[in-house]
């Protein structure tokens, strides 16, 4: 009985962690977008770049140091950061921009997003070594 | 209903749905590609609808679609592919996500404008 109960809880735990992270991530993304109005989608760019940086730190930490609990990675990575950053809004906003600005938006999200991941890796590497 | 709660609940459901898709779709970045294209299809349809209800947009648009799709995992997976020497795969991943999502936005919008009276 008790064994079965703990097993059910174990299966439910990731769902609970991701639910909490996803809830908070979406609200914060919305708040950042509200705080950065204008013709250019600055809000989406901001969450995508900062979120990519943070996920880089979190996941390279797993590769290099592995001191964080798997639950932490689940709530912060799969839950919060993946909900905080977004691809669909980025795609819809890009399709609504003039061709020139659309290319600029794609370039900014891609280049800065990839660089942010690499910066996260560098920082973790510096702390670990 | 409070818009903050709508966005949060949508985000919660979006994140959970993404997690379940990720558990069923394996391969380098395949799960992320699946949610990004599918979520862009939904959001394209939602933003093209002629009767945008603010609450629905908060719950399904900003909340669900925003959280269901993700940029951070996409960026991390692309960088990982590249640094593991799978450069062509990395470039393909970056390209297919973009083309797939933009096409999905257009298809979603097109379908809505065709079926709406």
């Amino acid at each position: 009985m008790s064994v079965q109960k703990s097993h059910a809880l174990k299966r439910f735990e990731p769902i609970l962690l991701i639910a909490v992270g996803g809830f908070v991530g979406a609200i914060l993304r919305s708040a950042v977008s509200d705080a950065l109005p204008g013709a250019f989608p600055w809000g989406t760019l901001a969450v995508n770049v900062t979120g990519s940086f943070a996920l880089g730190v979190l996941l390279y930490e797993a590769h290099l140091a592995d001191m964080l609990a798997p639950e932490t990675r689940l709530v912060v990575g799969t839950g919060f950061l993946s909900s905080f950053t977004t691809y669909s809004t980025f795609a819809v906003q890009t399709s609504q921009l003039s061709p020139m600005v659309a290319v600029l938006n794609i370039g900014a999200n891609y280049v800065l997003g990839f660089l942010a991941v690499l910066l996260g890796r560098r920082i973790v590497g510096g702390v670990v070594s | 209903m409070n818009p903050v709660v709508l966005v949060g609940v949508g985000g919660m459901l979006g994140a959970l749905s993404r997690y379940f898709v990720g558990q069923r779709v394996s391969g380098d970045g395949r799960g992320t590609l699946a949610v990004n294209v599918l979520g862009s299809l939904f959001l394209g349809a939602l933003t093209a609808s002629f009767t945008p209800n603010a609450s629905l947009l908060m719950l399904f648009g900003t909340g669900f679609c925003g959280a269901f799709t993700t940029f951070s995992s996409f960026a991390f997976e692309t960088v990982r592919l590249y640094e593991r020497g799978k450069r062509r795969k990395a470039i393909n991943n970056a390209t297919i996500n973009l083309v797939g999502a933009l096409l999905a936005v257009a298809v979603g919008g097109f379908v809505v404008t065709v079926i709406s009276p």
Side-chain angles (χ1 to χ4, degrees):
Chain A
M1 175 64 200
S2 67
V3 170
Q4 213 166 16
K5 195 174 166 189
S6 69
H7 178 68
L9 267 178
K10 259 257 158 297
R11 286 195 46 178
F12 189 67
E13 190 185 33
I15 291 172
L16 195 66
L17 293 172
I18 291 164
V20 171
F23 185 89
V24 177
I27 289 173
L28 268 182
R29 168 165 40 79
S30 178
V32 170
S33 280
D34 289 348
L36 297 168
F40 189 83
W42 293 109
T44 306
L45 178 64
V47 296
N48 283 351
V49 174
T50 52
S52 296
F53 166 74
L55 192 71
V57 170
L58 188 80
L59 296 182
Y60 279 109
E61 191 279 340
H63 285 284
L64 299 170
D66 205 13
M67 280 156 57
L68 293 172
E71 289 82 7
T72 305
R73 270 179 226 120
L74 213 52
V75 71
V76 177
T78 310
F80 175 76
L81 291 172
S82 293
S83 172
F84 181 61
T85 63
T86 182
Y87 207 101
S88 55
T89 308
F90 157 72
V92 167
Q93 286 168 336
T94 300
S95 70
Q96 290 168 341
L97 296 167
S98 66
M100 195 74 161
V101 185
V103 169
L104 209 70
N105 189 46
I106 293 165
N109 274 271
Y110 268 48
V111 173
L112 296 175
F114 296 148
L115 285 176
V117 172
L118 292 169
L119 182 67
R121 181 185 64 174
R122 174 162 291 201
I123 284 176
V124 170
V127 170
V128 168
S129 62
Chain B
M1 197 166 172
N2 186 329
V4 174
V5 175
L6 288 172
V7 170
V9 170
M12 184 175 82
L13 296 172
L16 287 171
S17 305
R18 171 166 36 73
Y19 174 65
F20 290 129
V21 169
Q23 286 194 315
R24 276 154 186 75
V25 183
S26 60
D28 283 327
R30 290 253 172 84
T32 305
L33 176 66
V35 293
N36 282 354
V37 171
L38 200 58
S40 297
L41 182 79
F42 294 155
L43 194 64
L46 195 64
T47 48
S49 56
F50 289 117
T51 49
N53 171 309
S55 293
L56 273 182
L57 277 175
M58 285 284 173
L59 181 67
F60 288 113
T62 309
F64 183 87
C65 293
F68 182 60
T69 61
T70 180
F71 196 93
S72 50
S73 294
F74 155 77
F76 179 80
E77 285 158 1
T78 306
V79 168
R80 279 295 289 160
L81 280 171
Y82 198 86
E83 67 184 5
R84 291 201 332 251
K86 300 180 177 176
R87 295 191 172 186
R88 183 172 288 275
K89 265 195 169 169
I91 292 164
N92 284 348
N93 192 52
T95 310
I96 294 167
N97 268 275
L98 183 67
V99 174
L102 289 175
L103 275 177
V105 168
V107 169
F110 177 75
V111 168
V112 161
T113 48
V114 164
I115 61 170
S116 55

